Amino acid sequence: DICSFYLVPHDGKLLPPFFPGQYLTFEINIAETGKSLGSHDKNPKPIIRCYSLSDSPTRLDYYRVTIKKIPSPPDKPNLPAGLISSYFHEQLKEGDIVDVKAPSGHFYLDVAKNQSPVVLIAGGVGITPVLSMLNTIVESGSKREVHFFYGLRNRAEHIMKEHLEQVAAENPNVHLHICYSNPEEGDVKGRDYHHGERVSMDLFKRLLPSNNYQFYICGPGPMMNQITQDLEAWGVPGKSIFFEAFGPASVKKLTPPPAASGVSEKPQDILQVTFAKSGKTFPWKPETGSLLDFAAENGISIDSGCRAGNCGTCLTAVKSGEVSCLVESGAKPEAGS
């Protein structure tokens, strides 16, 4: 259920460069593909999705994205599978043209400025951006120390298994740590995986000589939240912790509601948010997190893609008031937006 797609420029021009860890933003017009939209039939606008580049930027003749087909929820099998991931897996053919923005994103390894040791941490299909980082390090000939932790349930989910083993075998500076949280009967410790447990702070403390590393993390939101909190508790400075932010679960960890001290609780002092197109006004609730989530909570539909301020799909004008960003956004909004 996971495939890599290789993209080449149909006009033969050079591809824009990128940093290892950055992503591509796709705009897919499902209505033009003939695919049934299901619940999307009433709103056949192009759909935006962000997918991390999974190979080294030293490969100048193609981009590669590695995409998992998202199935129907196990507890709700009647719901449709992921719309865009299904499109890539079931409909996209060799030679088709897709609309893609140039690479972007603030989660990347700056190979030009720093040669300090790194810890790359991935969970599931979250391996894609850190795999780009790993490939970049080894292809550049760098001898910087690398610890690569990869958490998954068992061999059935083990992405790029042979490639990772080859990289570790050919590069003494790369230390591979494969973690199976639920090994199956045929999975062999020492051959398929190294640790029969989840990626965790306990494992870091057992295997790393110190906390003096740069940590790059991409995986499910709960995994990233737990690891970033534990790293901070271990004394790793915030400037040495980097994580990919796709989806609201991966953002809210660093955005606690503002402290209530000194804030009036009087009803007339509560901020009001007005959505101009609908003419509706609602009292703001800081615990909601973002304006996008707040809109959805109140039945206001706003186009969105990554849900993390990266792709720019939810860009909208600010009529009045001030807005602060939860994280540094990948798509810079213009003044008044």
Side-chain angles (χ1 to χ4, degrees):
D1 60 351
I2 297 173
C3 291
S4 288
F5 299 84
Y6 292 78
L7 312 175
V8 297
H10 68 88
D11 59 6
K13 295 181 179 179
L14 293 175
L15 288 168
F18 67 94
F19 295 113
Q22 290 190 307
Y23 59 85
L24 294 177
T25 302
F26 291 81
E27 182 177 280
I28 306 296
N29 194 330
I30 292 290
E32 294 180 357
T33 69
K35 182 178 177 65
S36 172
L37 301 178
S39 61
H40 297 268
D41 281 326
K42 297 179 181 178
N43 187 26
K45 295 180 180 179
I47 297 174
I48 306 296
R49 289 291 185 273
C50 298
Y51 292 110
S52 296
L53 289 146
S54 63
D55 208 350
S56 165
T58 59
R59 307 296 178 91
L60 303 177
D61 53 340
Y62 65 80
Y63 289 148
R64 186 179 76 183
V65 291
T66 303
I67 299 174
K68 179 178 181 178
K69 183 181 178 182
I70 305 300
S72 301
D75 56 337
K76 298 178 181 178
N78 294 328
L79 292 181
L83 189 65
I84 299 303
S85 64
S86 296
Y87 164 75
F88 271 90
H89 278 255
E90 297 173 1
Q91 284 199 279
L92 194 63
K93 301 183 300 295
E94 186 173 346
D96 283 354
I97 295 176
V98 290
D99 291 327
V100 188
K101 284 185 180 180
S104 57
H106 297 290
F107 176 72
Y108 62 83
L109 182 72
D110 192 340
V111 294
K113 294 183 179 180
N114 202 320
Q115 291 297 312
S116 60
V118 296
V119 175
L120 306 178
I121 305 166
V125 77
I127 189 177
T128 52
V130 291
L131 180 62
S132 175
M133 296 176 186
L134 177 67
N135 288 354
T136 301
I137 291 171
V138 298
E139 289 177 15
S140 69
S142 170
K143 300 304 178 185
R144 68 195 300 183
E145 181 184 348
V146 180
H147 288 267
F148 193 101
F149 289 86
Y150 186 26
L152 53 161
R153 282 182 290 194
N154 46 57
R155 182 172 178 173
E157 299 180 352
H158 200 153
I159 304 170
M160 305 285 183
K161 182 178 187 294
E162 293 80 9
H163 173 73
L164 291 172
E165 291 169 351
Q166 181 180 352
V167 167
E170 296 177 353
N171 298 273
N173 56 310
V174 175
H175 308 278
L176 186 62
H177 309 284
I178 303 298
C179 301
Y180 284 5
S181 63
N182 188 24
E184 294 186 334
E185 186 175 344
D187 297 338
V188 179
K189 188 173 183 180
R191 183 196 70 186
D192 299 315
Y193 66 100
H194 306 106
H195 311 283
E197 59 188 284
R198 298 179 186 275
V199 178
S200 67
M201 178 54 57
D202 179 61
L203 191 61
F204 297 156
K205 289 180 176 179
R206 296 197 324 254
L207 298 176
L208 299 177
S210 73
N211 65 356
N212 189 26
Y213 292 83
Q214 290 185 335
F215 293 83
Y216 293 84
I217 313 160
C218 187
M223 171 192 175
M224 290 198 292
N225 287 344
Q226 187 64 56
I227 289 177
T228 51
Q229 290 175 21
D230 290 345
L231 287 174
E232 290 174 353
W234 194 26
V236 179
K239 65 179 182 179
S240 296
I241 304 172
F242 308 88
F243 61 94
E244 180 58 283
F246 282 167
S250 61
V251 177
K252 288 182 178 176
K253 179 263 162 189
L254 294 182
T255 55
S261 59
V263 177
S264 172
E265 295 294 332
K266 297 178 181 178
Q268 65 267 29
D269 292 332
I270 296 176
L271 285 172
Q272 302 292 318
V273 178
T274 298
F275 297 93
K277 289 182 180 179
S278 65
K280 295 180 179 179
T281 298
F282 305 96
W284 168 246
K285 295 193 295 182
E287 64 271 16
T288 304
S290 72
L291 280 167
L292 180 62
D293 289 334
F294 182 72
E297 190 177 277
N298 287 286
I300 304 294
S301 177
I302 294 179
D303 291 339
S304 64
C306 68
R307 302 191 65 80
N310 279 330
C311 68
T313 307
C314 62
L315 184 72
T316 189
V318 177
K319 296 289 187 179
S320 65
E322 296 180 2
V323 177
S324 59
C325 292
L326 299 178
V327 294
E328 187 178 5
S329 56
K332 290 291 186 184
E334 296 177 357
S337 299

